[in-house]
Each structure stands twice: as C-alpha cells, then as structure tokens.
Amino acid sequence: MPDKFAIVLAAGQGTRMKSKLYKVLHPVCGKPMVQHVVDSLNRLDTNRIVVVVGHGAEKVKEQLGDNIEYVMQEEQLGTAHAVMQVASLLKDKPGTTLVLSGDEPLISSQTLEALVSHHEASGAAGTILTRVMESPTGYGRIIRGADGLVERIVEQKDATEQERAVREINTGTYCFDNEKLFKALDKVSNANAQGEYYLTDVIQILKGAGEKIEASITEEITVGVNDRVALARAEALMRERILNHHMRQGVTVIDPHNTYIQADVTIGRDSVIYPGTIIEAGTVIGEDCIIGPQTQLKNCQVGDGVEIKQSVLADSRIDNGATVGPFAYVRPGSHLGENVKVGDFVEIKNTTIGKGSKVSHLTYLGDAEIGQDVNVGCGTVTVNYDGVRKHKTVVKDHSFIGCNANLVAPVTVGEGAYVAAGSTITKDVPDGSLAVARERQTNKEDYAKKIIKK
Ligand code: UD1
Ligand code: CA
C-alpha cells in the first residue's frame, strides 16, 4: 500500500460569507465545516493530514486539535498556492495525496474511499471528484475532449458561454500522485480572471505532460459553501442525512421536517422524537425514550425510558425512567437520578436529585443536593444567592418539603424531616423532625360583621 496523505485547504477568509467568523468555522448541524471534513478523513487510514491555515489560523487549530499537522499560508494567492505551502512537508514523498476543501462539509468517508480506490486502480496521476448538477453556477466545469476524457477544469469566471453550459462540476476534492502533484504545481501561473494560482490548472498541466487524468463521478450531493445561501443548503442536506441515519438505527422521528438533530448525537432504539425538538452535539439518549415535542437538549446524557416534554436541558445527566416537563428548565451541572420526576415550571440548576424524588411543580432548585425519595412541594425555592456568593442546600433522603417553602442556603434538611408549608428555613433541620418557620395563624372572629356595621 502506498502512503496516503491528505491536504485540507482552510486558509481563506470567506469574504462571500460576510461574517466575523472565518468561513471554515461556520457550523453545519452544530459542527464547524472543516471539522466535518477532518472527521471524514479520520475515518480513512491516512498517514498524515495537513491543514493549510491562514485567516483565523489560531481558531482553526484550536478547533481541530493537535493530532494533525498545520501549514501557514500567509497570503491567500489561490488554491494551488495553498497546496504549495505543504511542499516542505510532502514534496518528495512517494504516495497518494487527497486534496480537500475546508468548505465542503458533506463529503463522506465512503465517497473519499471510492475516490481513492478509483484513483489507485486506474493508475492516473490525478483523479477529480466530480458531480453532475442541474444548476452548476459558481463551480469549476469539467471540460472533456472528443475522446470523452478529462482535459482540464475551467473556473466559472474564466469560462466561455459554451463551457458554462457544462453540467459536470469540480467538487474541489482530488486525489493525486503526490510527487507529480508538486512537480505540476511549480508550473501553475496566475494569468486568469481572478489573478490567482488555481489548483485546477494542475489538471491541464499533468495532461499536457502526457499523464492520465480521471474523473470519479459521485452521486453524493456535495455543496461548496461560499455564502449563507449555500450554508443553509448544506445544513438542510446534512440534517436529512443525520435524521435518516437515526431512523435506520431504530429511532422514530415523527416529523423529520421539523426535527433538528446535530452531528455527533447518539440515540438508542425505540426512542421517539416528537416535532420541534432540537438535539445538540454531544447528547447521548438511551432506548425507549420519548423526547419532545418542543424540547431542546444540549450536551446531555439521557438514560433509558426517559420522557422529556416541552423542556430545555443543558450539560446535565438524566437517569433511567426519569420524567421531565412539560415546561421545565434543567441548567448545567444537574443530575436527575432514576425515576425522578421534574414537572411543570420547574427550574433546576447545578443540582443533584436522588432516585425516586419528585419536584412536581413551580419550583427553583439551585446548587442543591436532594436525596432519594424526597418530595419537594409546589413553589419551593432554594435561596442560593446572597448577592455575592452562591450557597448549597442539602435535603436528605425521605424528607418532605411543604409547598411554598424557602430554603435559605447554606442549610441542611435532615433525613426523613418535614418542612411545613410556607416556611422560610434559615437553620438546619435535624433528622426526623418537623420545622415550622412562619407566623401562627390568628383568626379574628366576626370580623366581617364588624366591618359592615362601621
Ligand atoms: C474551488 C475550485 C472550483 C470548485 C469549487 C468547489 C479552484 C480554483 N476552484 O472554487 O473549481 O468547483 O472549489 O467548491 O480551486 N483556500 C486557501 N487558500 C487560498 C484560496 C483558497 O486555503 O489561497 C481555501 C479556502 O479557504 C476554501 C478552499 O480553499 O476552503 C476553496 O477555495 P474557494 O475560494 O472557496 O474556491 P471556489 O471559488 O469555491
Ligand atoms: Ca468554495
């Protein structure tokens, strides 16, 4: 097996995006475009992956991490110029080199594998991944000779009217014989409409040197994202791909047109996702869950048989059999144990709730540790903030918090203890005792009659 290298072009500013964010960092289904590209490459067995960075280099490196190599392109003089920056690393190495664009997030590892196999089987010096499109505007066109073989690629801006009518386009993904690629790059000039060094010119140069050029036509829809219109299109296509994947794995999606599941989400079999639900990257959901409608989950670990309705949850863990919502807000750092019930209009923040406990309605629990089988009555509030610092509330197993209680932290309610409804608890409550912290009721008899007489 020859060595396999990959070069990802990611140095451009992406002017057409009209954005403060560098183009290749724009997310598609929650993941930056260039990360999609590198993830596809990582599923292949490449020897080296080199990313060409320029605009936003530090941010791109931060995103992609240290497991790959980077080369700096100080000035963005074109895609050929970008690949030339890698010469010092790869130039004289025998092998096969994939070249990809950081703005083509839909290229899958299967497509890349097919491209490499086609390339290696044909013995070509270069193989272009091409696609036939209804409306090819903006893309480089594949120009074939009378023999049907690829002769060159012409960019939209340099194309004649006749060439623009060609519907076979360059996806910006290629496979090259590594040494031949770098030799051809030395001959690329910038005499074209954009005054850039086009990587696409390498095709014509290799062909002129008597080398064989191949095109691998893919059926997979790919999008080169240059502006926000293309970004939305890539998002829609990726979303459909992700949803189809989950459905094929045994997840029911009631309405795929109204369900948003980002990349890198795991969902177990027989879970059902109702409309209006957004499941963001990093979330893992078990089997037999009911999620939605109108629910947003971000980076949550959800067990089996969990039900979450009309709620927003982030950076939290929900164990088997728990139910959340409707209309609950579970904020970062929370952990709901097995069979916990968090009901309507309940906000939970940085709080652990033990197995079997119930927080059924209209409650705020922040920075609290609630034990097992605790009943937290309607309207309970942990008073966790003194204006400067946050304090912890501890409620031990089997205790009962009456409705409308304030638990002024730091405070502990002991095991099996009771807090009377309407109490404002400022002192610890010992195990098994009842705390009443409110005015005793006084009844003024015949008050109504007296007031009428006056
Ligand atoms: C390029 C192709 C075109 C193809 C299309 C597919 C060329 C000349 N044209 O056009 O044939 O149909 O992709 O999407 O290659 N980049 C650098 N340094 C540079 C210039 C670009 O790193 O100096 C990077 C960009 O960040 C981007 C990628 O290369 O990720 C492609 O550049 P872009 O300007 O988007 O090329 P297109 O005009 O889309
Ligand atoms: Ca592009």
Side-chain angles (χ1 to χ4, degrees):
M1 283 285 274
D3 270 351
K4 205 183 291 162
F5 311 112
I7 299 173
V8 180
L9 308 185
Q13 159 83 51
T15 318
R16 290 165 281 182
M17 295 296 282
K18 307 227 163 83
S19 176
K20 288 183 282 301
L21 187 63
Y22 306 105
K23 176 164 77 172
V24 297
L25 291 178
H26 274 264
V28 168
C29 291
K31 180 151 89 178
M33 293 198 271
V34 68
Q35 186 73 62
H36 280 285
V37 173
V38 170
D39 286 355
S40 287
L41 277 173
N42 275 330
R43 285 183 212 113
L44 259 57
D45 57 334
T46 47
N47 301 75
R48 292 172 86 166
I49 299 176
V50 185
V51 179
V52 181
V53 292
H55 282 284
E58 288 313 309
K59 291 259 158 37
V60 175
K61 286 186 197 174
E62 202 181 298
Q63 170 63 40
L64 298 175
D66 305 329
N67 287 334
I68 47 183
E69 298 172 80
Y70 298 95
V71 160
M72 189 71 186
Q73 185 192 21
E74 297 287 352
E75 256 186 305
Q76 286 70 48
L77 303 180
T79 45
H81 181 255
V83 178
M84 264 188 258
Q85 309 310 304
V86 189
S88 58
L89 291 184
L90 298 183
K91 198 176 163 75
D92 302 314
K93 306 237 179 318
T96 300
T97 299
L98 274 162
V99 180
L100 293 90
S101 265
D103 65 353
E104 289 268 355
L106 292 156
I107 302 274
S108 68
S109 51
Q110 292 90 320
T111 298
L112 292 175
E113 251 159 36
L115 172 66
V116 174
S117 317
H118 182 142
H119 176 81
E120 286 176 350
S122 72
T127 306
I128 313 157
L129 185 72
T130 71
R131 202 158 84 73
V132 178
M133 288 181 80
E134 280 301 320
S135 35
T137 307
Y139 290 97
R141 307 297 205 284
I142 306 298
I143 307 302
R144 291 174 182 264
D147 53 4
L149 298 175
V150 176
E151 289 203 324
R152 59 197 168 89
I153 301 173
V154 61
E155 290 305 295
Q156 167 90 21
K157 286 186 179 149
D158 301 290
T160 62
E161 207 166 314
Q162 201 185 359
E163 287 167 339
R164 283 183 191 186
V166 171
R167 295 194 302 123
E168 186 182 5
I169 63 103
N170 168 26
T171 63
T173 310
Y174 323 78
C175 210
F176 291 105
D177 173 289
N178 186 64
E179 291 158 291
K180 289 174 183 169
L181 165 66
F182 283 101
K183 255 178 231 138
L185 278 170
D186 286 339
K187 303 201 179 86
V188 174
S189 89
N190 63 352
N192 52 52
Q194 303 186 80
E196 285 183 10
Y197 295 91
Y198 293 162
L199 177 58
T200 46
D201 284 357
V202 159
I203 300 301
Q204 197 176 351
I205 292 164
L206 288 171
K207 188 86 183 185
E211 296 288 354
K212 186 173 175 187
I213 297 296
E214 283 281 306
S216 171
I217 305 179
T218 179
E219 294 294 320
E220 181 172 73
I221 300 175
T222 61
V223 179
V225 176
N226 293 329
D227 61 20
R228 311 254 186 169
V229 175
L231 182 67
R233 198 168 137 62
E235 175 90 17
L237 290 162
M238 181 70 80
R239 182 154 74 89
E240 187 185 345
R241 211 182 267 182
I242 291 170
L243 286 165
N244 287 346
H245 163 79
H246 290 295
M247 290 187 272
R248 289 196 183 102
Q249 298 295 312
V251 177
T252 295
V253 178
I254 302 286
D255 181 6
H257 297 293
N258 195 15
T259 303
Y260 306 81
I261 301 178
Q262 294 189 339
D264 304 329
V265 166
T266 307
I267 307 177
R269 279 185 182 201
D270 290 315
S271 283
V272 180
I273 316 296
Y274 279 84
T277 294
I278 302 171
I279 303 175
E280 295 182 36
T283 295
V284 177
I285 296 172
E287 300 188 353
D288 304 306
C289 292
I290 296 178
I291 310 291
Q294 266 72 40
T295 289
Q296 187 168 7
L297 290 171
K298 184 182 175 191
N299 189 31
C300 287
Q301 315 300 307
V302 177
D304 297 330
V306 170
E307 237 178 86
I308 305 176
K309 292 179 179 164
Q310 282 104 345
S311 293
V312 176
L313 296 84
D315 305 303
S316 291
R317 185 177 142 191
I318 319 298
D319 291 347
N320 298 348
T323 63
V324 178
F327 314 113
Y329 185 20
V330 178
R331 293 167 53 197
S334 297
H335 177 187
L336 312 187
E338 266 179 50
N339 301 324
V340 160
K341 178 183 178 189
V342 166
D344 53 281
F345 306 106
V346 170
E347 177 175 338
I348 307 282
K349 188 214 77 174
N350 190 32
T351 286
T352 302
I353 303 181
K355 198 172 164 181
S357 290
K358 293 189 168 63
V359 188
S360 297
H361 354 250
L362 299 159
T363 291
Y364 170 63
L365 298 180
D367 306 306
E369 199 182 299
I370 311 291
Q372 299 187 7
D373 297 312
V374 169
N375 191 82
V376 178
C378 177
T380 297
V381 171
T382 52
V383 183
N384 60 328
Y385 186 47
D386 61 13
V388 182
R389 270 175 295 267
K390 303 283 169 68
H391 301 282
K392 189 170 180 179
T393 302
V394 177
V395 176
K396 298 207 170 147
D397 297 350
H398 310 291
S399 44
F400 182 97
I401 311 296
C403 290
N404 216 31
N406 295 313
L407 304 175
V408 183
V411 76
T412 297
V413 175
E415 198 175 324
Y418 288 77
V419 168
S423 292
T424 292
I425 301 296
T426 54
K427 290 189 289 196
D428 290 354
V429 181
D431 292 352
S433 52
L434 165 70
V436 189
R438 63 180 188 224
E439 286 264 295
R440 262 181 197 285
Q441 181 171 335
T442 341
N443 291 337
K444 312 241 171 166
E445 289 186 15
D446 295 327
Y447 176 81
K449 277 184 201 157
K450 283 178 203 159
I451 209 163
I452 290 163
K453 259 188 205 161
K454 269 187 190 168

